[in-house]
Amino acid sequence: MSDETVSPPDRDARIASLQAQIDARDRVITMLRAQLARLRRMTFGTSSEKLAREIEQLELALEEYEAEAASADARAPDIVAKPERPAPVRSLPPHLPRDEVIYEPTTGTCACPSCGGALRRLGADADEMLDVVPISWRVVRHIRPKYSCRACEAIVQAPAPPKPCPRGKATFGTLAHVIVAKFDHHLPLYRQAEMMAAQGVEIDRSTLAGWTGQAAHLLDPIVKRIREEGLKATKIHADDTPVKVLAPGSGKTATGRLWTYVVDDRASGAATPPLVWYRFTANRAGIHPKRELATFAGFLQADAYAGFNGIYAGNRVSEVACWAHFRRELFERHKQQPTALTTDLLDRIGQLYAIEAEIRGQPADVRRSTRQARSQPLVTALRVVLDDALRKLAPKSPTTKAIRYGTKRWDAFTRFLDDGRLEIDNNIAERAIRPIAIGRKNWLFAGSQAGGERAAAIYSVIETAKINGLEPQAYIADVISKIAADWPATRWDELLPWNWQPPVDQPIAQAA
């Protein structure tokens, strides 16, 4: 039945039905987006892999709903009155090349199709759309002509350009592409080999592994300088996450650890560049972070892992606890059995976070004065409630355990109130751990101790480049080419992510 033969009442009913379906779909999409935003705000810590899976599931569900919404809108009949929404202003990146396609009237540009009169150009309507060209491989042929002197027969030839591998066939750009694809885009080398083969380039996985090792070797000076600069800071955020390591000769895996150490004071208005470095260890023994931070003096913000306690001995390093972990402990109890007490405690901590959101990015002295005036009374009142609850609850109840997590470290939990440089939680470090938590689902395990150390080094460069607003592939390609060309050791600092300048003839996309 065509729309013309539908009676007005039936037509109105159909419009109302379709509009109701659209409204219901939009509500689901809005709800999924809100849930996804809430979960993303929660911390990615060592105990939150279930949370990461929830986020992935929500993202997949949201993708399906949005794809179906776009498809349904395209199929929707004209009779459905679509709600008017302001068109988002999305300008495409200016650094991208522009290809122009001109559409002339089908009758040509000389004569008017109505009267045959001459046409003159008034202007043009232009609409830009983002297009993609599948990855293309090419061979760069380096040719060095030889010349001989007619007088003395001396041979003159330009020196050979540096190569990342002595007998290798990969450019610096190729090496950067491979390691960024593996450690930032989470594509294992065997998958990359399969994708390259599908594009007509047969490269063995072992060859890709060799390229990865060579790139890591070239990046060693940068990794070393990042760590050296980080240890000069007055505040470091630390965290760790498990990583499976293949045990030699057994075919089984052991559990190693990847530790992250982050310096990022942007939330307190500091202009110092952020940085992050990683360390791989065979286990989680406390000696590892203690050895790593042996020369550090200042504030260490971390979770309540007992292995950090040795670092706090003495006055060299002060502990700053993480309210996100405290809140998570309470939330787990609340999720299992919500009570008026857990609801009240979570609400009180939420008020502290609301204040932090207001002062994020403000200078340290402003943050301190605001915390003293507004957060300090809330924290004092919270402690009264916690102590009262401990007197009333059973000593071994789950809620008691969650509350004691905070009260027995109260000095470390309240230290942020007296110093505007400090953060309320350790989410800075946990965000730095998130790429490893996502990536290990694809690459599954490190092949060896050396492989874990290599991964830590490459992660250090990639993640430091990203938090400094750089696109890591272009940065790494340029830096390793300069290092291979005997860049002076006295000028290493010029190649650090916060100092690096892209080549003038190579526009660079900035990281989002």
Side-chain angles (χ1 to χ4, degrees):
M1 182 183 298
S2 66
D3 291 336
E4 289 76 4
T5 61
V6 178
S7 63
D10 291 341
R11 185 185 182 90
D12 293 342
R14 184 180 176 191
I15 291 174
S17 175
L18 291 173
Q19 189 63 57
Q21 294 176 27
I22 293 173
D23 292 342
R25 180 198 69 197
D26 289 346
R27 284 194 296 272
V28 172
I29 291 175
T30 300
M31 179 192 68
L32 289 173
R33 286 175 175 165
Q35 291 179 359
L36 189 57
R38 179 181 60 82
L39 289 174
R40 281 175 173 161
R41 286 193 297 269
M42 297 176 69
T43 308
F44 284 83
T46 56
S47 61
S48 59
E49 292 189 16
K50 290 183 179 179
L51 180 61
R53 287 195 292 271
E54 287 183 36
I55 288 179
E56 289 182 356
Q57 292 169 0
L58 276 176
E59 286 176 335
L60 290 172
L62 187 56
E63 286 178 9
E64 293 298 327
Y65 272 104
E66 289 176 334
E68 178 59 28
S71 176
D73 287 344
R75 299 192 309 265
D78 293 337
I79 61 170
V80 178
K82 298 180 182 178
E84 293 185 4
R85 303 181 205 172
V89 179
R90 293 183 181 135
S91 58
L92 297 177
H95 68 272
L96 295 179
R98 259 64 176 173
D99 292 336
E100 291 189 351
V101 181
I102 300 176
Y103 300 87
E104 296 288 0
T106 55
T107 57
T109 59
C110 297
C112 173
S114 299
C115 68
L119 298 177
R120 66 180 184 275
R121 181 163 178 158
L122 298 177
D125 293 329
D127 181 29
E128 291 191 337
M129 301 178 69
L130 187 64
D131 191 24
V132 60
V133 178
I135 186 172
S136 61
W137 298 92
R138 65 175 182 174
V139 175
V140 178
R141 189 179 172 95
H142 297 279
I143 301 174
R144 297 183 295 132
K146 294 182 179 179
Y147 299 91
S148 64
C149 175
R150 293 182 181 275
C152 67
E153 298 299 325
I155 297 177
V156 179
Q157 186 182 30
K163 300 175 68 175
C165 308
R167 293 181 299 276
K169 296 295 185 181
T171 65
F172 297 102
T174 300
L175 263 63
H177 171 79
V178 169
I179 65 173
V180 170
K182 177 176 180 179
F183 294 100
D184 192 31
H185 303 155
H186 320 301
L187 284 174
L189 295 181
Y190 79 88
R191 291 188 188 174
Q192 293 191 53
E194 292 173 352
M195 295 167 66
M196 294 169 71
Q199 295 154 1
V201 182
E202 296 282 351
I203 301 292
D204 191 74
R205 182 199 53 78
S206 62
T207 301
L208 298 179
W211 293 353
T212 300
Q214 184 62 22
H217 170 70
L218 290 171
L219 289 171
D220 277 346
I222 304 300
V223 177
K224 181 180 179 181
R225 288 294 297 124
I226 289 173
R227 178 178 178 271
E228 290 172 347
E229 289 299 307
L231 290 173
K232 296 177 184 177
T234 58
K235 174 175 67 78
I236 289 178
H237 293 258
D239 200 4
D240 69 291
T241 191
V243 174
K244 296 294 183 182
V245 188
L246 191 63
S250 67
K252 299 180 181 179
T253 59
T255 301
R257 310 297 292 196
L258 262 175
W259 304 79
T260 184
Y261 303 92
V262 190
V263 175
D264 189 350
D265 296 322
R266 291 174 294 178
S268 60
T272 52
L275 60 87
V276 53
W277 79 95
Y278 298 82
R279 283 292 200 181
F280 175 82
T281 62
N283 53 52
R284 204 191 184 197
I287 188 63
H288 301 303
K290 185 177 181 180
R291 184 184 297 124
E292 185 68 16
L293 301 177
T295 62
F296 169 69
F299 297 99
L300 177 63
Q301 191 140 19
D303 59 22
Y305 168 53
F308 289 126
N309 291 343
I311 301 174
Y312 304 134
N315 298 321
R316 183 174 55 87
V317 178
S318 298
E319 179 186 8
V320 185
C322 175
W323 281 84
H325 277 79
F326 188 19
R327 180 175 60 179
R328 190 177 304 141
E329 291 285 334
L330 294 169
F331 180 75
E332 289 299 320
R333 307 287 83 75
H334 180 77
K335 184 171 64 174
Q336 295 171 5
Q337 186 176 359
T339 64
L341 174 61
T342 57
T343 301
D344 180 50
L345 294 177
L346 290 172
D347 181 64
R348 290 173 182 271
I349 296 176
Q351 293 177 47
L352 294 176
Y353 270 86
I355 296 172
E356 290 301 307
E358 293 179 24
I359 61 176
R360 186 171 295 115
Q362 296 294 317
D365 57 343
V366 174
R367 283 156 57 99
R368 181 185 182 279
S369 61
T370 302
R371 287 168 174 172
Q372 291 288 309
R374 299 172 57 189
S375 300
Q376 179 70 70
L378 295 177
V379 171
T380 301
L382 173 61
R383 182 56 194 260
V384 172
V385 174
L386 294 175
D387 289 340
D388 183 61
L390 289 176
R391 287 191 292 268
K392 297 177 179 178
L393 293 171
K396 294 185 178 181
S397 74
T399 304
T400 298
K401 179 182 177 182
I403 292 175
R404 290 196 184 281
Y405 177 89
T407 56
K408 69 181 181 181
R409 300 176 182 85
W410 196 249
D411 288 344
F413 273 103
T414 57
R415 192 155 279 136
F416 82 103
L417 296 170
D418 299 318
D419 194 323
R421 296 171 298 172
L422 306 181
E423 299 301 319
I424 192 173
D425 56 34
N426 197 35
N427 286 354
I428 287 175
E430 296 190 347
R431 283 194 294 270
I433 283 291
R434 182 183 179 187
I436 288 89
I438 296 174
R440 68 184 170 209
K441 295 179 182 179
N442 292 327
W443 44 260
L444 300 180
F445 55 81
S448 63
Q449 172 84 16
E453 293 171 355
R454 183 166 53 247
I458 295 174
Y459 272 125
S460 300
V461 177
I462 289 177
E463 296 303 318
T464 299
K466 287 166 63 177
I467 62 176
N468 280 276
L470 301 179
E471 194 283 304
Q473 182 170 323
Y475 167 72
I476 291 173
D478 182 67
V479 166
I480 61 177
S481 69
K482 289 176 177 175
I483 293 175
D486 295 326
W487 187 268
T490 55
R491 297 173 57 192
W492 288 137
D493 286 4
E494 295 178 30
L495 302 182
L496 293 175
W498 52 89
N499 293 330
W500 176 76
Q501 296 294 325
V504 293
D505 58 343
Q506 180 184 340
I508 182 68
Q510 297 295 306

